[in-house]
Amino acid sequence: PSAVAGRTVSAMLQRWRRWWSSEERANLQDALLAWSIGAVAIFGIVVSTPAGEPVSVVSLALIAAQSAALTFRRRWPMAVYAIVGIGTTLYAWVGNPFGSVAGLGVLIAIYTVAAHRPLREALVAGGIYVVGMFLSLLGFAVRDPVSPPLFVADFIVNLLALALAWTVGVTIRTRRAYVTALEARAALLEREREEN
C-alpha cells in the first residue's frame, strides 16, 4: 500500500510540475497580476474621490481596459503595450483628477515587449514610451500645475523606471536565447556522439 501511495503522490507531483511550467499557468499568473493592479487602482480612485463627488466613470473604464489588456501581455505584447500606453496617456488628460495611477501597467507592458519581441521592436516601444510618458506628465501638469523643476524630476524618475523595466526584459530575452542555443548545441553533440 505504501508503494502505491508513493507512486500516486509522485504522479500527482509530476502533473503539478508540468502544469506549473505550462502556458496555462502563465496565463493564470498574468490574469491575477492584471486584475490585482486594476483592483488596487480602482480602489485608489474610489478612496481619493472627495465625499459627495461622483466617482469618475471614465477613470474606471480606462483602468478596466488596461487591466483587461494586461491579461494577454505574453500572447500579444505589442498590442497590449499600445492599449495600456494609450489608456495611461488618456487617463492623465481626462481621468480622475483626485487620484493618480502609478503607471505600473505600462512598465509591465514595456518589460513584456522587451522580453518577448525582437530588439528593434523593443527599441521602438521604448521610444514611444518616452513620448507617451512626456504627454502623460504634461496632462497631469495641465490639470494640476507643477513647477518646471518638479516636472523634470518626475520625467527623470519615470525615465529611470522605463530604463530598468526595458533592460530587465531585454536581459531575460537574451538569456533565454542563449540557453536555447546551448541546449540545441548539446543535443547536436549528443546525436553526433551516438552516431559515432
Side-chain angles (χ1 to χ4, degrees):
S2 62
V4 172
R7 283 195 300 272
T8 303
V9 170
S10 177
M12 287 172 51
L13 287 173
Q14 286 176 353
R15 280 196 299 272
W16 173 255
R17 280 191 210 110
R18 278 195 302 270
W19 180 83
W20 188 248
S21 62
S22 69
E23 187 176 336
E24 289 80 17
R25 183 259 323 149
N27 291 339
L28 177 61
Q29 285 180 336
D30 287 346
L32 289 173
L33 174 68
W35 291 103
S36 297
I37 290 170
V40 169
I42 287 171
F43 178 76
I45 290 170
V46 171
V47 299
S48 66
T49 302
E53 294 275 343
V55 175
S56 170
V57 175
V58 172
S59 298
L60 297 178
L62 287 170
I63 295 301
Q66 293 174 64
S67 298
L70 281 174
T71 303
F72 306 101
R73 69 186 182 93
R74 288 183 227 225
R75 192 173 302 161
W76 301 299
M78 289 298 284
V80 168
Y81 174 64
I83 291 168
V84 174
I86 290 168
T88 301
T89 304
L90 286 174
Y91 183 91
W93 285 88
V94 300
N96 178 11
F98 307 109
S100 65
V101 176
L104 184 57
V106 183
L107 291 174
I108 291 169
I110 192 70
Y111 157 81
T112 304
V113 168
H116 296 281
R117 301 302 304 158
L119 184 59
R120 180 181 296 160
E121 289 183 31
L123 285 169
V124 170
I128 292 169
Y129 185 104
V130 173
V131 173
M133 176 180 62
F134 177 80
L135 291 174
S136 295
L137 291 174
L138 188 61
F140 281 122
V142 164
R143 295 180 337 150
D144 186 15
V146 295
S147 66
L150 185 57
F151 183 90
V152 171
D154 282 347
F155 185 83
I156 291 171
V157 167
N158 281 280
L159 195 60
L160 291 173
L162 158 68
L164 178 62
W166 190 90
T167 302
V168 169
V170 168
T171 302
I172 286 174
R173 182 177 48 77
T174 304
R175 183 180 179 280
R176 192 183 306 125
Y178 176 70
V179 168
T180 301
L182 284 180
E183 288 172 349
R185 179 177 163 85
L188 178 63
L189 289 173
E190 184 65 28
R191 278 197 306 274
E192 289 175 352
R193 193 176 309 121
E194 289 173 357
E195 290 170 0
N196 292 335

